[in-house]
Amino acid sequence: MENVVIIGTGCAGLTAAIYTARANLAPVVLTGTMPGGLLTTTSIVENFPGFPDGVDGYELMTRMQQQAERFGAKVKFATVDAADLSGDTVKLTVDGEPLETRTLIIATGAGHRHLGLESEKLLDKKGVTYCATCDGALPMFRNQPLVVVGGGDSACEEATYLTRFASTVYLVHRRDTLRASKIMADRTLAHPKIKPVWDSVVEEVLDVKQDKVTGVRVKNVKTDASSVINCAGLFVAIGHVPNTQLFKGQLAMDENGYLLRKEGSQTNVKGVFVAGDCSDHVYRQAVTAAGMGCAAAIDAERYLASLNR
Ligand code: NAP
């Protein structure tokens, strides 16, 4: 029987791991399929306190893991298949094996939202991608026009990053103002290679017949006019969906699947705590996720102490 199992190794999970490890609770930390979480797919993180020149996202997460392991966290590359939260302890199935724990910290984060188009699905990894830092430098995108969809910080970050490789980056947004923070929006719109396409949505990714991206058909939502933008790649950056499917029917969640907290990081099930983007659609920052991970660790520690009273 474990004292603490943490699902997720983003900022929330690894901060919870650092705190519970330092409390001598020897947490088991399960990475899932994306060790380090979404931050590993970003380039330079400029707003994490303590790094005046920014820090590479992958490096930040690697350092956090090393810090947790130094105090005794056991990080395992493993995926949770099932979770039974109905008893006094939590029973997990991890890569087919049972794992029982007195407390569980869920820090499963969120994945990329998709446009939901059939052509998007069919051309996934054939020019459609959700991560500029992962794929932007591929030869197929070099010196080609590229399209980014979205109006938030992610879309601005992706568009700016892609200017290193693309001939032109079209930023397709469904409204005529960006949601992104002012500093990011200003930087993006001032870039000579970035061309905003306002009030527009992608209707179809071309060309399924050729089995590669050759363009996108966009519709102006104000005029209903359709047009084609020729491009070699489509980078979708329209937000995220929480990774909480595993807990459907067992944990309280809102209509979008974000886990609800009762008090502090406590869920509606005793001994089960949440942290980070799987429970936060408001702030969604690396530093707030880390703060939530810290809170969940302290709550788990106090809960374990209360069991022995
Ligand atoms: P976001 O802020 O939720 O923005 C999503 C964007 O996609 C919005 O502009 C939205 O349009 C658009 N959108 C949503 N669904 C769409 C659909 N079906 N079709 C077309 N467009 C759609 O998400 P995000 O940009 O990923 O940012 C998430 C959080 O991470 C934010 O808190 C952000 O500040 C943070 N972040 C920070 C940094 C940084 O500081 N370096 C970098 C990346 C992300 P509307 O505007 O019309 O709703």
Side-chain angles (χ1 to χ4, degrees), residues 84-107:
D84 177 359
L85 310 182
S86 61
D88 288 342
T89 60
V90 171
K91 295 178 184 67
L92 301 173
T93 311
V94 180
D95 286 343
E97 299 292 324
L99 180 67
E100 195 171 354
T101 178
R102 292 186 183 89
T103 66
L104 177 67
I105 297 176
I106 301 168

Side-chain angles (χ1 to χ4, degrees), residues 28 44 52 87 200 205 213 246 258 296:
V28 171
I44 296 294
S200 297
V205 192
V213 172
L246 199 60
Y258 287 92

Side-chain angles (χ1 to χ4, degrees), residues 225-300:
S226 274
S227 58
V228 170
I229 303 173
N230 293 321
C231 65
L234 171 66
F235 291 75
V236 181
I238 58 168
H240 300 91
V241 273
N243 299 320
T244 55
Q245 284 293 101
L246 199 60
F247 306 104
K248 232 176 191 158
Q250 299 191 81
L251 290 180
M253 40 183 90
D254 70 12
E255 68 277 10
N256 294 317
Y258 287 92
L259 295 172
L260 297 177
R261 285 163 271 136
K262 266 177 73 183
E263 197 182 309
S265 64
Q266 173 71 58
T267 64
N268 58 309
V269 173
K270 271 190 182 168
V272 179
F273 306 90
V274 286
D277 287 8
C278 64
S279 166
D280 168 31
H281 58 88
V282 179
Y283 302 108
R284 297 180 296 188
Q285 303 298 301
V287 70
T288 50
M292 291 171 82
C294 163
I298 291 172
D299 289 343

Side-chain angles (χ1 to χ4, degrees), residues 102-251:
R102 292 186 183 89
T103 66
L104 177 67
I105 297 176
I106 301 168
T108 46
H112 298 289
R113 177 176 285 127
H114 294 193
L115 291 167
L117 302 169
E118 186 63 14
S119 52
E120 172 194 20
K121 199 158 62 177
L122 292 170
L123 294 172
D124 191 6
K125 297 190 185 71
K126 295 169 180 168
V128 173
T129 145
Y130 301 86
C131 177
T133 3
C134 318
D135 302 327
L138 291 174
M140 66 198 274
F141 298 134
R142 298 233 169 194
N143 302 313
Q144 299 292 326
L146 301 174
V147 167
V148 173
V149 191
D153 280 331
S154 296
C156 288
E157 195 174 61
E158 303 259 299
T160 307
Y161 181 78
L162 289 171
T163 57
R164 299 179 195 191
F165 315 106
S167 53
T168 306
V169 179
Y170 296 97
L171 182 61
V172 176
H173 182 37
R174 62 186 178 182
R175 294 185 294 126
D176 63 1
T177 46
L178 295 174
R179 174 179 295 279
S181 54
K182 192 169 176 345
I183 187 171
M184 298 274 271
D186 288 350
R187 198 187 290 171
T188 305
L189 295 176
H191 201 289
K193 274 194 182 180
I194 298 176
K195 301 212 179 321
V197 182
W198 301 120
D199 300 314
S200 297
V201 292
V202 174
E203 284 185 313
E204 190 186 358
V205 192
L206 308 169
D207 182 4
V208 170
K209 275 197 188 126
Q210 291 187 56
D211 206 26
K212 66 173 185 179
V213 172
T214 60
V216 290
R217 190 155 47 80
V218 295
K219 185 176 86 176
N220 184 302
V221 292
K222 285 194 174 152
T223 64
D224 261 359
S226 274
S227 58
V228 170
I229 303 173
N230 293 321
C231 65
L234 171 66
F235 291 75
V236 181
I238 58 168
H240 300 91
V241 273
N243 299 320
T244 55
Q245 284 293 101
L246 199 60
F247 306 104
K248 232 176 191 158
Q250 299 191 81
L251 290 180

Side-chain angles (χ1 to χ4, degrees), residues 20-84:
T20 49
R22 280 177 54 81
N24 272 344
L25 294 170
V28 171
V29 193
L30 307 171
T31 63
T33 51
M34 197 175 195
L38 274 189
L39 217 58
T40 57
T41 66
T42 195
S43 50
I44 296 294
V45 182
E46 289 183 335
N47 50 12
F48 200 87
F51 297 91
D53 301 320
V55 57
D56 177 78
Y58 182 82
E59 186 191 338
L60 180 64
M61 300 322 298
T62 307
R63 282 167 171 251
M64 278 193 199
Q65 179 170 333
Q66 287 166 346
Q67 195 174 352
E69 286 176 327
R70 181 179 149 218
F71 295 110
K74 297 169 279 185
V75 181
K76 293 185 179 169
F77 182 73
T79 306
V80 180
D81 309 315
D84 177 359

